[in-house]
Amino acid sequence: INAEYMGIKEVKSMSFVKDVYNVVKTIKKGSVMTYKEVAELAGDPKAYRAVGNALNKNRDTKVIPCHRVVRCDGGLGGYALGGVTVKKEILLSEGVKFSGDKVKFDTKKKQMIYLLQTCLLYTSDAAEE
């Protein structure tokens, strides 16, 4: 990750930002994760605000789909590239369901996706060692 290109001077640590981006890369179209879940998978469960900070600096949304990260209450959080209205439009176009302005979580599907992502991340970490 080129910190200067991404506009990041010091968010938390560049390794944490890299971990956040690697987690977010795994979120498939039509799915979402919460800032807290991303923080947990990136290795720091309490750093959900730092996740938002890192994603706010993301300019490569094709590779790092930051619009797929939402608040744990289903609220959209923020979106630096057009605001929450644009974020909602993108998520709707990808098949994410809403109840009003909040994402409607499919709990069983969400749990399965979370477990799979956890396994994939730990498997790829082990392969790099």
Side-chain angles (χ1 to χ4, degrees), residues 8 11-12 16-17 20-21 24 33-39 42 44 46-59 66-67 69-71 76-80 87:
I8 298 171
V11 174
K12 183 164 170 49
F16 179 76
V17 172
V20 166
Y21 288 170
V24 175
M33 288 185 77
T34 67
Y35 293 99
K36 183 173 173 59
E37 289 169 332
V38 172
D44 191 342
K46 294 181 180 179
Y48 44 89
R49 288 181 187 226
V51 168
N53 239 357
L55 295 179
N56 186 50
K57 308 296 185 221
N58 174 39
R59 296 296 175 256
C66 55
H67 62 278
V69 182
V70 299
R71 296 185 343 204
L76 293 177
Y79 189 58
K87 185 173 184 175

Side-chain angles (χ1 to χ4, degrees), residues 91-122:
L91 291 173
L92 283 168
S93 75
E94 292 182 346
V96 174
K97 305 288 184 217
F98 279 79
S99 177
D101 283 332
K102 293 191 175 190
V103 170
K104 189 174 178 182
F105 294 115
D106 179 344
T107 309
K108 287 183 184 179
K109 179 181 176 185
K110 189 165 181 41
Q111 288 171 340
M112 288 300 291
I113 290 169
Y114 183 72
L115 288 172
L116 287 170
Q117 285 170 320
T118 304
C119 291
L120 288 172
L121 286 169
Y122 288 117

